[in-house]
Each structure stands twice: as C-alpha cells, then as structure tokens.
Amino acid sequence: MKTLAAQDLCKTCDPKTFGFRSTEDLAPFDGFLGQERALDAIRLSSEIPHRDFNLFVLGPTGTGRHAAVQKILSERAATCEAPSDWAYVNNFEAPDRPKALRMPTGTAVRLRHAMEALVDDLANEIPALFDSEEYQAQRRGIEEELGEVQEARMADFADRAKSEDVALLRAPTGFMLTAIIDGKALKREDFEKLDETRQAEIDEKISRLQDDLAAVFRDAPKLEKEARKRIESLNAKMAERAVSARIAEVAPDLSAIEAVASHLEAVHADIIDNADVFLAAAAEKNEGPFPGAIRKFHQEPEFGRYSVNVMVSHGGETEHGAPMETEDLPTLGRLTGRIEHVSQMGSLVTNFTMIKPGALHVANGGYLILDVRRVLSEPYAWDALKRCLKNRSISITSLAERLSLVSTTSLQPDPIPLDVRVVLVGDRLLHALLTMFDPDFGELFKLEADFSDEVDRDEASLALFARIIGAYARREKLKPISADGIARLLDEATRLAGDSKKLSLRLGALADILREADHYAGGRGSDLTTAADIETAIGEKERRAARIKERMQEAIARRTVLIDTEGAKVGQVNGLSVVVLGDTAFGRPSRITARVRMGTGKLIDIEREVELGGPLHSKGVMILAGYLAATYAHDVPFSLHASLVFEQSYGGVDGDSASSAELYALLSALSGLPIAQGFAVTGSVNQLGEVQAIGGVNEKIEGFFDVCVGRGLTGDQGVLIPQANVEHLMLRRPVVEAVEAGKFRVIPVTTISEGIETLTGTDAGARRADGTFTEGSVNERVETRLRVFAETRRVFARSRPGETGEGGEGDT
Amino acid sequence: MRPPRRILIGAASYADARAALRLARQLAVTLQAEVRGLLVEEAILSDLPRLARQRVVTASGALHDVPTARQAARMIEHDAKAFQSGLAELSATARPLERRRGDLTVAMWEDAREWDVVVYGLREFHGLGGRIVLIAPAAGTARDAADLAEDLAWAAGTTAIALGLATCSDTGADETFPDAAALLARISRLNCAAVVLDRAAGPIRSVDQLRALLAAAHCPVVLVGQPTGAVALPE
C-alpha cells in the first residue's frame, strides 16, 4: 500500500526564494500572464483592416477579459486617425428622408453653430430689410402701378358709359347700369313712356356696356396675379441680398466641404422661398420676454428646419484617435440609434432633429465592446447588430416598428456607412451556442480570443504573477504584500486551479481575497499584508459559505446520516462527492452499499431506477458491470442479481467518480470480505479495472478528513484516490499536518486490485495459467461466489422444467 | 385735434360696408371712438326699368339675373346681419345698425352733422392696395383731415397724397387741378385706399358734389368736420 508523503499533498512557495521583501520592491507590470493566445487574437482583430474580423472574447469571469480588451484596443485606437463627424440635416425636398452629412473630424459642431448664427442673423436682418423704406416704396410702386391700370380701365369705362348717358349703380351683389336722362337715372315709369325703338336702343347699349364692364372686372385678377408675381420676385431679390451675404460669411473651410456646400445651397434657396417665416417670427419679436436683439431665433420651432443634428463629433480637445466605446445597456435603440416623437394634437410627429445616435454611431470608425449576454437579452438588438454589420451601414429601426405596434409614418434617414470593429465578451457556452445555431455568427465574428483559466506554475510565471499582484495592489491603493503573503496567495491560485502544476488565472477571485486580507491587515494596524492576513481572508471566506457544510457534518456527527469511520463491513464503502454552492465547494462522504444474490445477471442501480441517477452515473455503473462480467466466471452464465445504492441520498447523483467505490462494495459483497470503514474512496473505473482521475479531489479528501477529525483521528483512516489525481493535490494545512503526524493517509491507486487489497487487507489475486485465481484472494472468492450462483441457478432450473428462471434473461 | 369720438359708417350693402369697416377699425383704435352703422337700401334699384337684357355685373365679371323683389329683400336682410356683426367686432360700444330705404348719399349727408367722422362704404374693384388721398381744403387749413389721412396711411403701410384746386392757395397740395372735374378725373384714375376730406374746409360742400366724388372714388370716402353753408365750386 503506497501512501503519499506530506510534501506530496500540497505544493508551497518558499518566500525566501522570491528575492524581495514585499511587492513594493517589485517593478510594476501591467501586462497579462498566460493569455498569449487570446491577446494575439485581440491584437489581430484590432489591426486587421478587413471587414467581418469582429472578435468574440470568451472565457470565465475574472480572467481579465475586459481589462485586456480595453488595454489593447485603447492602445491601438490612440494610433489611429479620428474618424469623420456625422450629422443629419433637413432634406428640403423630402423632409421624411433626412440627409446624412459626412464631415472632417471636429467640424460638425462648428457647422451647427454656424447655422444657428446664420438663422439668428437673418431673423434680424430679413425683417429689417422688409421694413425698410426702400422695400416698402418698391412694393407700393408695384401695387400702385398695377392698381392704376385697373382704375384707368374702370375710369375709361365710366367715361364711355357717361358719353352714352349710362350711369353705374351699386347693388348688393354687384353693379347695375341704367340710362340717364337730363342728369337723372331713368325710372321705370319714364322708360315705359318711351317708344319701342328708344327702348330697344337703351336695352342694347345697356347690354353692350354690361359686357364691357364684365370684361373690365375679369381683368382685375390677372393684374393682381401680376402684382403678386412681381412682389414675390421683389421679396426674393431682397432676401437674396441678405442671405447671400450671410451664407458667404460661413467659415470658408466649412463651405469648402462638398457636402456642406451642397447643403448651404439648399438652405439658401429654402430661406429665400420661406422669407415670410422670418417676417412672422419678427412679428412676435416684441411679444417674448427678451428683446429681439438677443432672442435666440434658432431655438424657435419654425427655424428647426435649418438646424444641424450632430450625431457624432470627434476631435475635441480631449479626443484623440479612433473611438473606443462600451455600451452597458445594449438595447435596440441605444445600439443603433432611435427616432423620437412628440405628441401634437393627438398625433405623433417627428423630424430630423429627433434622430438620436446609438453606440454604433459613436463607435463608428473605431471599436465597440459589448457584453454578449446583455445583447442577446435585449429584444431585436442582436438581429439589428448583425444587420448593421452585414450591410455596413447603420439603419435605425424602432422596437415599436419591429413589433408592428405603430403605423405612424416615421423618418427614413440616409443610412450612415458603418466601419466598426465589434468585440463581444462572453462565456464559452454562449460562444458554442452561437457557433452552432446562428449561421451569421461565424461570418461576422471570425476571431475568437479564448482566455485560459490557468497557466503553468513555474519560476517565471510565479515571478510574473507576483508583479501582477503588486501592480494590482498599487492600482487599487492597497497595502503592499509581504513575500510570504505573495507565497500564500500564489499557493491559493494553485488551489483554485485544482492542479499543483498550474496557477489559476481567475484573478478576480484572488483580488477579492487580497482586498479582504488588506482590510484585516489594516485592522491590526499593519502597513503590510502578510500570509496570516491572506490565510484569514481565505478562512473567513470559507467560513461564510460553510453553513450547509457544517450542517451536513453535524448530521454525520450526530449519526443522523450514517457514516462509519471505524471497523469493517461487508458490501459497504464510504464514497465521496462534491457539493458546489455558488463559488464554494466542499466534499461529503456518502455510504455506498451493495447487495448480491443469485439472479439472471441484473445489476440494479437504485439511483437510476428512481431517476435520481444522472446519465454519467449510470454509465459508470454499466462500466463496472462490464468489468465484472468480463473478469469473472466467463464459462458460466452471469447469474448475479445485485443492487447498488447511495444510502440516505435524496437529491440526485451524477458523475462516475464513485464507480470504483461501487465496484469495491460489490466485490466485498461477492467475496464476503469486509471493507475497512476508516477509508473513503473516490475514482472512476473503466472496464479494464483501471482507476481513472476525477474532479474535486481536494474537497473530497478534506470532506472525509473533517468527519474523521470530528470523531477523533485513529491513524487508520484515509482516502483512496486515483494515482492520476496526485498532481492535483493542494490540500489544506490541517490535512497535511495530520498526514505528517501519521494520523491520516492519502493512498493513490491505479487499479481496482490495488484498491481492494487496501480496503480488505487481502490480496486481490492474479489469474494463473490454469485460469484460476490465487487461492484465498479477493478475486478467487468473487469468482467462486459467481460460480455458485450459476450452479445453483442451473440446478434450480432443472428442478423446475419449463421455467427460464427468475425475472427472465436480464442484463446489467 | 380733439380726438373725434363718434364715427358713422354708411353703406348700401355689406360688400360696400366691408371696405368701410376695415378703415373704421383703424379709426376706432386710433380715436377710441363710438361707432354706428347705417344701411340704406337704395330705392333707385327697385325703380329701374325692366330691360330684357338687364343684368347684374358681379365683381368677378360674371353676369347674373336681376334679383326679384323677394330675393332682394333676403339679400338686404343678410347684409344687415353681416353689417351688424362687423360693427360688433369693431367696437363693444357699437350701437345697433340703423336701416333705411332711400338715397345713401343724401341720408349720410343729412346725418353727418351729428357725427365727428362719416365713412361712406364703397367696395374696391381690386385687391391692390392704394394710397390715401386727401382733398386739400378750398380755404384755410384742415389739420383734422390731414392728420387723419396721415394716420390712415401709416396704419395701411402706404403714403398719403394731397390733391387740391389750383384756385385754392396755400393748401399744401401735392397736385393741383384747374377745376373740380379735373380733380375728380384724377381721383378716378388713382389707386386709392380711401379719400379723406374736411366738410367744413371744402371744396365738397353739396350732396351733388359728394355724389360726383363717390362716383369717382371707387373706395371708401371719409368726411371729417361739420358741413357749413354750400360753396359753389367752379365747374
């Protein structure tokens, strides 16, 4: 029986080998340890110009994914040129299709201010121009000239009528003509006294003159139209002078931008066409609280059409390089932008000034970092993100529109071209699911940065890790850590890795321990965090999470849960399992029992029968059954009926780490040899009888150790573990000390034979040339028992002809 | 000038009254005046010969049949209501509309003595705004009329022009004419928004002279001052 020595149970750092007193003596290091694969992928994604090389950063939390991404991308972004500014402006011909203006970095805000100044200036100048005597005189001139034409026509008619002795009378609905005799209007009775010829003559000239008068009146609208045209032309000429002068004052560098120049032309034409807007605003000039001279006309709703909606502007005093943005709440609207509406008279209205930028706009030309879980959690956000990346443009859609909740016609702004590198950060499960089920994902996110959980533990990595811890402490303004504190922390990193040859890269967990230790160091007035503080922090963390563990231990101590730690029993062994609660785990022994009798080769896994056993557990049981069937009594029918169970287990069992323990219980039951109850067993078995590695070996050993400690260590207690797990051992100090004192043992085994020998104290036995096992060995006893079952069954079958036996042909 | 406080608006139809109401609106605001309306149904219209081809020529140049007596009565009722509403909008202190049948020119001339400002409503023939025409006094000064003309011109965003007879000296006229016929001929061809004159200062001092002016004006005529004895005009 091979027993591990104390030094094999936990690898420790010797602080004397570090060469420093505390982390204050260490040069800072703000790089990353053991993540070269992932860092190279991030660098590639940040540098490669080709599209669709977006990046998915995967790995467990606390491994520095976000920090690495931020660092590398920000360094790269600083070397890039700042991208263009973007703004939306009014499309005067189609207001529902706002135009996107692309401008050099830093110019969008200047353009906005320039337009505001333009509007304010013209709002003062245009009314003044139209109030001027020059304009008024010209306008009056037009009206008087054309008015006099009409008056002249009317006067000519009146003269003509008078010359024919006809007068013009006003009636309620128009004008009537009547003959005049002796300077007075001809009355009816006087007319009837006239002869017919005279009457006809009067009738004829009245009729003729009526037609003439009607013609004169019909010409009036034409003159009015002519006057309107000439006044409009006059207005345009007057406005043109002011508008041209002011637009020419817009900064030459802005006007030199083609897109801006084109927009200014459109503004120019629109202002001239809508000069009356400026006049109307001026009419309200004296009604507001501020004098007209300082009133900000550009803020009035009617002048919103000339404003510039800056979507994104770069190149300010504090902005350099390409943008690097993070969106913590990646809803559809916050990602791709949104179009807001206001309610007016019961309707929802909008315009180009209500377009709001999203994260894609702000990050355009640079980098956008998103948490993939949050993106996938937001309705339509993932779909929109993919669409924008595929189309290489940002199109704004509202959630209500996607859900067909509104039929309000909204805006269709020019899509803004998109050139962005998206970095998604998430866990491996989401990456796997997206890869499997989303065909677009692989096309759009061609790179993955896979962050490792752990790094090899060697001198170089230990030294670098120490510097990383020191740098973290400085950054977080923690106390320096002593060399022994560093050593303790590094050992804990190995413990977290669950492998004595590795260091865990889950820096978040280590940082939490360090910060808590810093607190304890401060509590005792120290200016240095030592190993004792680290130990306290680790212990306190375990204690905080230990309520359930302690309840379980208490149940065992009080024999509510039956676990033997002394004596020997046939068909009974202590198995070990790990209970995981959040980020803590602890080991717990379970009694495994096996019962056997003659049967038809059926091995009942009671856990599986009642659906408390998971598939992996069932697989383990089937494997051990395969081992049994292949190892013993090949020449007779397998006539065993056996049952296996985890006693007092009501919560479900999975995994095959107890399959060797189950096999030991069966072998004990078959051979009739008792198993020493001072041992607990963990390890999975294959069909060849080899004991294979399992997980959580440290917690399992410590769980049984705690039970034995509670009852008092006898020196005959210990745990059998797979040999393959020896290099994973990082046991807590009490276990190591007990082993050192010879009060507890950790025994590695490679085969079932080794294990059964340890547990029963009997030779396992080898098969001899004649096919039999060594006499008195465990294997010999097992095989003998199985043969007896087979013979008994044969005899029984012969004595009851026609019956095939109990339960029919069974299988294991 | 002591601000006139009483304005009489007279018209033969609402179409004519509308032009006068627009003018009176400015007068009422400027002068804080009491306003009254007089609608006179022109008797001559119902006494015209029944010609086979007699028509009414509308302001848009259409020819309509002459309304029957019943139709004419309905029209005048409608006009009266509209005129009354216009007066109410003009002034809260407007008195109820008075209605008569007869000759508007004569009725207004006779009632003029009781009122500070009398406005004859005459519809315009077109929508092109014109100038305010002041008929310069035959003698002396007519500051009230001149001030009123300036006020109306300023309110309408136009200018005032004074026309006078050459025989009248020192009237401050912009244009002078040898006789009344020439002056009226000029007025008939001017684009006027309103004609303003002082009854006391002349040169219009009789009903016939006023009738001739009304025929030439094609716009509301505003009389200020009290008429004195008739002064014959050189023909």
Side-chain angles (χ1 to χ4, degrees):
Chain A
M1 175 170 65
K2 176 184 161 190
T3 304
L4 293 176
Q7 62 264 28
D8 297 328
L9 302 181
C10 181
K11 187 163 277 188
T12 53
C13 287
D14 183 358
K16 296 190 186 64
T17 63
F18 284 154
F20 60 86
R21 191 187 74 87
S22 77
T23 52
E24 263 189 327
D25 304 330
L26 293 175
F29 178 77
D30 60 356
F32 298 90
L33 173 63
Q35 303 288 8
E36 285 69 33
R37 178 191 300 113
L39 297 178
D40 287 345
I42 298 172
R43 280 191 204 98
L44 174 63
S45 180
S46 74
E47 292 167 6
I48 191 167
H50 307 303
R51 57 181 283 213
D52 299 342
F53 279 80
N54 299 298
L55 178 68
F56 193 110
V57 178
L58 59 152
T61 56
T63 50
R65 297 169 303 169
H66 285 92
V69 166
Q70 293 272 354
K71 185 172 186 300
I72 293 174
L73 292 188
S74 60
E75 284 171 0
R76 174 68 184 166
T79 66
C80 299
E81 280 184 14
S84 303
D85 286 2
W86 284 95
Y88 276 112
V89 294
N90 191 24
N91 181 342
F92 295 104
E93 290 166 13
D96 65 320
R97 293 176 182 273
K99 290 187 177 174
L101 287 190
R102 180 184 203 145
M103 287 164 278
T105 303
T107 52
V109 174
R110 285 181 51 224
L111 179 63
R112 183 179 69 200
H113 291 147
M115 292 304 297
E116 289 169 355
L118 177 72
V119 167
D120 288 342
D121 289 342
L122 289 176
N124 283 294
E125 287 182 23
I126 289 178
L129 212 53
F130 283 92
D131 277 344
S132 67
E133 185 51 36
E134 178 196 349
Y135 170 77
Q136 294 293 335
Q138 289 188 59
R139 184 184 177 128
R140 278 198 306 271
I142 293 170
E143 288 177 337
E144 282 167 16
E145 178 193 330
L146 294 172
E148 282 185 11
V149 169
Q150 183 66 5
E151 295 290 345
R153 289 178 186 167
M154 200 59 211
D156 289 343
F157 170 81
D159 291 344
R160 205 158 59 245
K162 189 177 176 186
S163 69
E164 294 193 44
D165 294 321
V166 171
L168 183 67
L169 300 176
R170 292 169 187 267
T173 56
F175 300 87
M176 292 178 71
L177 299 173
T178 190
I180 295 177
I181 294 182
D182 297 330
K184 289 193 174 14
L186 180 64
K187 293 187 181 173
R188 188 178 305 153
E189 60 188 16
D190 296 329
F191 175 77
E192 285 166 1
K193 288 174 186 167
L194 297 174
D195 58 70
E196 284 184 13
T197 307
R198 185 82 177 102
Q199 286 182 354
E201 196 183 288
I202 291 172
D203 188 29
E204 183 276 332
K205 74 178 171 186
I206 293 290
S207 173
R208 180 170 36 82
L209 287 170
Q210 277 171 177
D211 290 341
D212 288 349
L213 181 59
V216 170
F217 284 145
R218 281 198 293 272
D219 279 343
K222 293 176 194 167
L223 287 171
E224 289 170 14
K225 183 177 174 182
E226 171 69 20
R228 273 197 306 275
K229 264 177 57 180
R230 286 167 63 173
I231 289 172
E232 280 171 7
S233 175
L234 172 66
N235 291 348
K237 220 163 42 174
M238 297 301 288
E240 164 73 33
R241 278 174 18 200
V243 174
S244 294
R246 285 296 169 205
I247 285 184
E249 288 177 3
V250 172
D253 62 324
L254 288 175
S255 307
I257 303 166
E258 192 181 325
V260 173
S262 172
H263 176 63
L264 287 175
E265 264 183 49
V267 166
H268 185 145
D270 190 79
I271 290 178
I272 289 171
D273 286 344
N274 295 285
D276 53 322
V277 173
F278 291 81
L279 294 175
E284 298 168 17
K285 206 151 79 159
N286 295 324
E287 295 174 17
F290 298 107
I294 62 171
R295 186 166 145 207
K296 293 184 189 301
F297 286 93
H298 66 266
Q299 293 176 348
E300 309 285 324
E302 58 267 33
F303 295 114
R305 60 199 288 119
Y306 304 118
S307 63
V308 175
N309 180 4
V310 177
M311 294 294 281
V312 61
S313 182
H314 302 285
E317 283 186 9
T318 56
E319 278 190 63
H320 302 285
M324 191 185 77
E325 297 295 321
T326 304
E327 178 53 66
D328 290 328
L329 183 60
T331 61
L332 175 62
R334 291 173 70 104
L335 208 52
T336 61
R338 63 196 185 280
I339 299 172
E340 295 179 342
H341 292 74
V342 291
S343 178
Q344 276 183 15
M345 309 282 284
S347 297
L348 292 175
V349 295
T350 185
N351 61 54
F352 74 99
T353 63
M354 295 190 194
I355 304 173
K356 303 297 177 195
L360 283 172
H361 293 97
V362 179
N364 199 2
Y367 305 94
L368 177 61
I369 304 167
L370 301 169
D371 183 292
V372 69
R373 186 172 293 273
R374 289 180 190 161
V375 175
L376 293 171
S377 302
E378 294 294 338
Y380 296 103
W382 175 238
D383 178 72
L385 177 63
K386 287 191 297 179
R387 191 164 17 90
C388 290
L389 290 174
K390 262 200 236 177
N391 296 337
R392 302 172 83 187
S393 70
I394 309 171
S395 53
I396 303 175
T397 321
S398 74
L399 197 55
E401 200 180 321
R402 287 302 308 262
L403 297 171
S404 302
L405 291 178
V406 291
S407 59
T408 308
T409 305
S410 188
L411 300 177
Q412 293 178 32
D414 285 348
I416 290 180
L418 179 64
D419 176 20
V420 72
R421 188 54 41 87
V422 175
V423 176
L424 296 176
V425 182
D427 56 58
R428 294 202 175 100
L429 174 62
L430 285 176
H431 180 262
L433 289 172
L434 286 168
T435 304
M436 276 193 289
F437 295 116
D438 189 339
D440 297 325
F441 177 73
E443 289 299 314
L444 295 172
F445 290 84
K446 294 189 183 341
L447 297 177
E448 64 193 70
D450 193 347
F451 274 70
S452 298
D453 306 73
E454 57 200 24
V455 68
D456 290 341
R457 178 176 165 135
D458 55 36
E459 272 189 39
S461 62
L462 287 169
L464 207 48
F465 215 128
R467 289 173 63 194
I468 290 173
I469 295 170
Y472 175 81
R474 276 194 205 90
R475 215 163 42 241
E476 298 295 319
K477 298 184 175 31
L478 305 179
K479 296 173 191 48
I481 304 106
S482 63
D484 65 351
I486 288 290
R488 184 64 190 88
L489 207 52
L490 291 175
D491 290 341
E492 189 61 19
T494 299
R495 165 82 183 201
L496 287 174
D499 188 336
S500 62
K501 294 187 187 311
K502 302 282 186 185
L503 290 165
S504 171
L505 291 176
R506 296 185 61 186
L507 304 177
L510 293 171
D512 292 343
I513 293 171
L514 181 58
R515 288 186 292 167
E516 187 175 342
D518 177 84
H519 167 72
Y520 296 132
R524 58 183 182 82
S526 170
D527 57 358
L528 210 60
T529 299
T530 65
D533 301 314
I534 301 288
E535 194 68 53
T536 303
I538 293 168
E540 285 301 303
K541 183 173 189 294
E542 288 180 354
R543 191 173 75 91
R544 284 192 295 270
R547 185 182 68 87
I548 293 177
K549 171 182 158 186
E550 287 171 3
R551 284 291 300 273
M552 287 185 176
Q553 293 286 347
E554 183 188 351
I556 293 172
R558 292 171 65 180
R559 302 201 70 80
T560 306
V561 174
L562 298 177
I563 298 289
D564 290 335
T565 55
E566 289 181 280
K569 293 260 177 76
V570 174
Q572 176 179 303
V573 70
N574 292 316
L576 293 169
S577 58
V578 174
V579 178
V580 179
L581 294 169
D583 62 350
T584 60
F586 59 90
R588 177 187 80 153
S590 301
R591 176 179 286 182
I592 298 172
T593 58
R595 287 292 172 262
V596 298
R597 58 153 289 154
M598 175 192 70
T600 55
K602 194 165 184 167
L603 176 54
I604 298 174
D605 173 9
I606 293 178
E607 304 300 325
R608 187 177 81 159
E609 291 300 310
V610 297
E611 296 179 0
L612 284 177
L616 296 178
H617 178 255
S618 301
K619 178 179 176 182
V621 172
M622 289 181 188
I623 288 173
L624 70 87
Y627 168 80
L628 275 179
T631 305
Y632 304 107
H634 300 144
D635 53 345
V636 294
F638 200 65
S639 301
L640 168 67
H641 178 98
S643 61
L644 287 166
V645 72
F646 277 70
E647 302 290 355
Q648 290 182 293
S649 167
Y650 310 112
V653 176
D654 204 4
D656 66 344
S657 65
S659 58
S660 65
E662 288 165 322
L663 182 55
Y664 293 140
L666 260 178
L667 292 176
S668 167
L670 283 167
S671 66
L673 293 168
I675 288 178
Q677 297 301 294
F679 289 114
V681 177
T682 186
S684 80
V685 65
N686 63 19
Q687 291 192 121
L688 303 175
E690 295 167 326
V691 177
Q692 300 165 138
I694 46 77
V697 65
N698 294 301
E699 289 79 10
K700 285 172 178 171
I701 293 171
E702 289 159 1
F704 186 65
F705 176 78
D706 289 341
V707 172
C708 295
V709 165
R711 292 179 178 166
L713 294 172
T714 63
D716 294 323
Q717 292 146 335
V719 177
L720 273 63
I721 66 167
Q723 175 68 43
N725 279 125
V726 170
E727 60 184 23
H728 300 140
L729 292 173
M730 280 295 289
L731 293 167
R732 294 279 183 232
R733 194 80 216 136
V735 180
V736 176
E737 287 171 353
V739 168
E740 215 164 22
K743 293 200 167 168
F744 196 77
R745 288 174 284 176
V746 178
I747 302 163
V749 298
T750 52
T751 64
I752 284 295
S753 297
E754 286 178 28
I756 198 65
E757 282 179 3
T758 304
L759 292 169
T760 61
T762 304
D763 177 36
R767 195 177 285 283
R768 293 179 287 207
D770 62 359
T772 61
F773 284 107
T774 312
E775 198 166 322
S777 66
V778 175
N779 289 335
E780 189 265 335
R781 289 170 187 255
V782 168
E783 190 162 71
T784 301
R785 188 75 181 277
L786 287 171
R787 286 188 190 286
V788 167
F789 284 154
E791 181 59 25
T792 305
R793 184 177 166 204
R794 187 182 67 80
V795 167
F796 179 78
R798 278 202 181 150
S799 68
R800 305 280 292 263
E803 291 179 13
T804 56
E806 185 179 4
E809 291 297 322
D811 59 73
T812 55
Chain B
M1 161 181 165
R2 180 178 67 83
R5 289 191 293 277
R6 303 176 76 238
I7 300 175
L8 174 65
I9 302 171
S13 65
Y14 178 63
D16 288 334
R18 205 159 43 197
L21 284 168
R22 272 200 300 272
L23 207 61
R25 188 167 292 123
Q26 187 54 44
L27 287 173
V29 169
T30 306
L31 306 175
Q32 296 179 353
E34 173 196 335
V35 178
R36 183 169 164 201
L38 172 63
L39 179 64
V40 176
E41 186 182 352
E42 294 278 11
I44 183 88
L45 292 177
S46 54
D47 208 13
L48 291 176
R50 294 180 199 280
L51 300 177
R53 288 184 278 185
Q54 179 85 59
R55 296 287 183 273
V56 174
V57 183
T58 68
S60 60
L63 293 168
H64 288 178
D65 290 339
V66 177
T68 62
R70 183 180 279 186
Q71 284 171 336
R74 273 207 293 274
M75 283 175 193
I76 207 71
E77 285 304 314
H78 174 269
D79 279 5
K81 282 185 189 153
F83 197 167
Q84 181 69 68
S85 293
L87 288 170
E89 283 174 20
L90 196 58
S91 167
T93 57
R95 287 160 64 174
L97 179 70
E98 186 186 340
R99 294 174 61 175
R100 290 185 210 163
R101 183 178 162 79
D103 185 328
L104 173 68
T105 308
V106 170
M108 295 277 280
W109 186 261
E110 288 170 354
D111 284 2
R113 294 175 192 281
E114 300 171 25
W115 296 87
D116 299 313
V117 177
V118 172
V119 181
Y120 281 82
L122 294 173
R123 76 194 78 170
E124 296 109 341
F125 291 155
H126 55 77
L128 297 165
R131 290 186 275 187
I132 305 296
V133 173
L134 171 68
I135 297 183
T141 58
R143 280 296 350 138
D144 286 357
D147 289 345
L148 188 62
E150 288 296 334
D151 288 344
L152 289 173
W154 183 89
T158 184
T159 54
I161 180 172
L163 306 180
L165 296 176
T167 52
C168 306
S169 60
D170 250 358
T171 59
D174 297 302
E175 295 178 21
T176 55
F177 302 89
D179 52 39
L183 186 149
L184 292 176
R186 177 68 177 126
I187 288 176
S188 73
R189 290 176 187 275
L190 259 181
N191 185 14
C192 309
V195 175
V196 180
L197 69 142
D198 190 312
R199 285 172 292 185
I204 303 296
R205 290 208 178 93
S206 71
V207 172
D208 290 337
Q209 289 169 341
L210 178 60
R211 202 188 299 281
L213 174 60
L214 294 174
H218 313 153
C219 64
V221 173
V222 182
L223 306 181
V224 299
Q226 296 299 327
T228 58
V231 173
L233 296 173
E235 296 293 334

